Amino acid sequence: MLKSWFSVLVAAHLITLIRADTWCGKNYKSSLPPVTPGGNFPIPSQSKDPLLAFRCAPAIRPYLAEDVSTPASVLIDSPVVYSQITDAKAIDLGSAPQKLNVTISLNGKTLANAMVPLNATAYEIPFSLLSIQPQAASYNLTCDAAYTTTGHSAAPQTFSASTALYVLPNPSSGSVTKMDLRTGALLAKPATGNGGDYEAVFPIGFYTQFDGYLTNLSVIDELKDQGFNMIHPVPTFSNMTLFEQVVDKMQEVGMYLMYDMRWTYMNSTSVTEQVNALKNKPNLLLWYTGDEPDGTSDPLDATTEAYDLIYSLDGYHPVSLVLNCQDYYWVDYTAGTDIVMHDVYMIGNNVSYSNQWNTVCTPDYGDCGCDNCVSIPAGDTAAVPPNSTLPPGPVPANSGVGTYFNIANRGSSFESRLDVMGWRRSKAIWTVPQAFGGGEYWVRVPTGQEWVVQSIVGINHGALGVVPWSDPTPADIKTASSAFAKSLPNITPFLFNPQAVHNRGNYVVGGVDIATWSTGSQTLVLAANTNYVDQTVSWMDIGVNGLTTTVVFQSGNVGSTSDGFTLGGVGAGAFVVQSNQPMASSATKRQYIMYV
Ligand SMILES: *[C@@H]1O[C@H](CO)[C@@H](O)[C@H](O)[C@H]1NC(C)=O
Ligand SMILES: *[C@@H]1O[C@H](CO)[C@@H](O)[C@H](O)[C@H]1NC(C)=O
Ligand SMILES: *[C@@H]1O[C@H](CO)[C@@H](O)[C@H](O)[C@H]1NC(C)=O
Ligand SMILES: *[C@@H]1O[C@H](CO)[C@@H](O)[C@H](O)[C@H]1NC(C)=O
Ligand SMILES: *[C@@H]1O[C@H](CO)[C@@H](O)[C@H](O)[C@H]1NC(C)=O
Ligand SMILES: *[C@@H]1O[C@H](CO)[C@@H](O)[C@H](O)[C@H]1NC(C)=O
Ligand SMILES: *[C@@H]1O[C@H](CO)[C@@H](O)[C@H](O)[C@H]1NC(C)=O
Ligand SMILES: *[C@@H]1O[C@H](CO)[C@@H](O)[C@H](O)[C@H]1NC(C)=O
């Protein structure tokens, strides 16, 4: 017995030693050879014949006992696809596309029935919660679909999906953070705990140093005045009494808490203590478990173990984590979270040659501080920051100059992977912009404008929260991020509008990364110039029909006319455009090439 325990300990120790020399499963020390890390996201194989990826989800997670007399709904997604994504099943479309006859049931009892078109996105079927007894455990909701082609007397083709439906007892104290699965937005009451309605929250707030910074309670007032709505204190916290004082001060001024268990999330005793100590805080927005668990190759079930434990103890707040690797066991780590963040740090580091370890960085080797990040294309001088150390002359291939499109691609590939897994409704993506530098891989800090570009590119590719690493941050970044935070009330209503989310278009014009969210009569245009030279974009380039334009946010030089807009180098803008006719068809959308 003693011996076997001892060998387990030795084995665990060896694993720690091996882990210390890898990042994202790759060797990074020049003394070690390249290894294939494995764990790549399985690219679905193509299908010649159409497949139906029939999926369902509750519109809100969780519902509460107090919600039972208000209408609830189930969301149906019914994409017809030509690749073997999770749970996609062959469909014979017949000569003319028909609707799906969808039945929602619980334990064999029908709750709702509706005809749903093919290729529907978040199609809402209302149902009543009245007959459902609130309980801590989730219900297993069944969604069945029948498809009958015209002129066929044959039995209809059938499809089935299931989803967890939470109808929880009202909490005895503390807050509830719900998720709107139509958009991925979090819904919460004001952080003050003084009541109020649930509202969609776009969390913006830094990972924040605790000792010697946040423990000065005036800093919390200052952050509130600067327009941030959330604080993510970074453990360890030397003094838990003081930590609770900080959290209470945050509540007093109306700041949400993102609670980080990075060092302890694999210790169930510790997680239990922490969750029980904080779950009743009115300003608790969400939990945070693994901090780059993929980088350190934490056990593949670690995030799910923590997730299940947190849900068994609380269940009223979602769980988040950040992944640093571009493509390393993404499915396993993401299985254990509601919100998956990415932290693509590409400013001031050499993304193709490691200045820390003196090796190249490839899919099989090296750590450059930005996993599998690509350099700007050879010859692209417009994308080179002004103070670059590159030798004069044309920019070579693999120059090491990081490109903001790494952030775009990370966001877009996370979105695609959610689609492939059938997780698009149940999980959301947030972004972690770089707000640090001057050490390790990163020889300089981003400027304030560069910070804004990173954040907008993240949002354009699906992020619904911005949590920069880290505060204290340079004044330039604090000023720029504060201005951006204060402009969010004009921006986020589009990101929380299911119709606008469905109509999102993504474009690249020159070096400008653009997304549009259209409600029909109004379009939000979020644009970030990833180049260091001026760029003009015409409304026509992005299918927008501009009658009147309001600039609701600007960073750097921004100009707009009836024809379009101009951004200075690493400038960014948010525009609300009124139109007198529907937007151009989505056929004009130009999507990114994916690196995955
Ligand atoms: C849909 O299916 C239900 C249950 O099988 C059936 O009662 C109903 O008539 C069908 N609706 C249509 C429009 O076919
Ligand atoms: C559904 O979408 C697919 C791919 O986007 C398209 O090829 C197909 O024509 C659409 N089918 C229907 C019935 O709308
Ligand atoms: C939910 O029910 C379906 C059958 O309708 C079943 O296939 C699935 O495994 C169940 N899910 C859970 C989590 O029990
Ligand atoms: C506490 O923070 C405030 C606001 O940033 C600052 O003005 C003050 O100097 C800080 N006090 C200490 C003791 O650091
Ligand atoms: C922890 O913080 C509290 C409140 O500021 C203080 O009273 C206490 O002395 C601190 N404890 C330690 C061990 O420093
Ligand atoms: C796990 O957490 C408990 C409670 O904080 C602590 O006593 C214990 O030492 C921790 N275990 C490990 C292995 O760190
Ligand atoms: C380049 O250097 C100048 C002068 O030191 C500085 O003002 C500017 O912010 C730097 N630009 C970038 C992108 O770092
Ligand atoms: C990255 O490192 C390589 C190899 O030392 C060097 O040739 C290149 O200029 C560096 N790029 C940057 C942006 O510093």
Side-chain angles (χ1 to χ4, degrees), residues 212-504:
Y213 183 59
L214 207 51
T215 49
N216 170 358
L217 300 184
S218 311
V219 167
I220 297 166
D221 289 305
E222 193 175 71
L223 293 171
K224 175 70 182 177
D225 291 343
Q226 286 165 338
F228 303 104
N229 59 12
M230 184 180 77
I231 298 176
H232 178 140
V234 177
T236 53
F237 312 124
S238 59
N239 178 336
M240 282 315 279
T241 311
L242 200 48
F243 183 78
E244 294 218 21
Q245 286 174 4
V246 164
V247 173
D248 293 345
K249 172 71 184 183
M250 287 165 54
Q251 179 189 340
E252 185 191 312
V253 304
M255 291 284 245
Y256 292 110
L257 169 68
M258 182 169 185
Y259 184 71
D260 187 327
M261 295 180 276
R262 64 179 58 204
W263 304 116
T264 47
Y265 86 98
M266 289 188 271
N267 177 338
S268 58
T269 311
S270 178
V271 168
T272 302
E273 284 171 2
Q274 294 174 77
V275 169
N276 284 337
L278 290 161
K279 66 183 181 186
N280 291 325
K281 293 285 180 191
N283 56 335
L284 174 68
L285 189 69
L286 78 169
W287 306 107
Y288 178 89
T289 58
D291 188 72
E292 306 179 337
D294 52 346
T296 44
S297 299
D298 289 359
L300 296 180
D301 60 357
T303 62
T304 299
E305 294 264 318
Y307 182 90
D308 291 344
L309 175 59
I310 293 168
Y311 267 80
S312 74
L313 297 165
D314 176 34
Y316 291 98
H317 303 89
V319 173
S320 64
L321 52 76
V322 73
L323 297 183
N324 186 252
C325 307
Q326 184 257 338
D327 189 14
Y328 187 64
Y329 292 104
W330 186 91
V331 172
D332 302 80
Y333 294 116
T334 303
T337 193
D338 300 307
I339 290 152
V340 56
M341 312 204 284
H342 50 75
D343 56 352
V344 182
Y345 305 140
M346 39 59 64
I347 292 185
N349 48 337
N350 188 327
V351 301
S352 59
Y353 187 84
S354 179
N355 61 4
Q356 295 293 287
W357 308 103
N358 297 315
T359 70
V360 292
C361 291
T362 70
D364 293 335
Y365 201 38
D367 181 0
C368 284
C370 196
D371 185 50
N372 289 349
C373 286
V374 297
S375 303
I376 61 168
D380 186 355
T381 52
V384 180
N387 301 346
S388 160
T389 51
L390 278 190
V395 176
N398 301 320
S399 61
V401 180
T403 158
Y404 295 90
F405 290 115
N406 288 305
I407 302 172
N409 280 289
R410 196 71 58 94
S412 285
S413 70
F414 276 27
E415 287 192 308
S416 301
R417 292 172 192 173
L418 292 181
D419 282 338
V420 170
M421 296 305 298
W423 290 346
R424 175 62 88 120
R425 300 271 143 246
S426 56
K427 298 180 193 289
I429 299 167
W430 292 7
T431 191
V432 180
Q434 180 183 347
F436 70 96
E440 301 176 275
Y441 305 92
W442 304 273
V443 300
R444 69 175 180 93
V445 288
T447 64
Q449 283 187 228
E450 289 175 324
W451 182 91
V452 171
V453 170
Q454 297 175 67
S455 300
I456 289 184
V457 171
I459 294 167
N460 284 353
H461 296 271
L464 284 170
V466 174
V467 191
W469 181 272
S470 61
D471 198 22
T473 195
D476 187 19
I477 292 180
K478 190 52 86 58
T479 305
S481 54
S482 167
F484 185 62
K486 286 181 175 174
S487 76
L488 284 174
N490 290 316
I491 294 174
T492 55
F494 291 88
L495 312 187
F496 299 148
N497 176 318
Q499 186 196 0
V501 169
H502 179 58
N503 289 338
R504 194 183 95 203

Side-chain angles (χ1 to χ4, degrees), residues 550-579:
T550 313
V551 180
V552 295
F553 171 71
Q554 74 175 80
S555 168
N557 292 329
V558 176
S560 76
T561 67
S562 57
D563 295 334
F565 62 91
T566 303
L567 300 177
V570 282
F575 313 92
V576 174
V577 183
Q578 306 277 343
S579 323

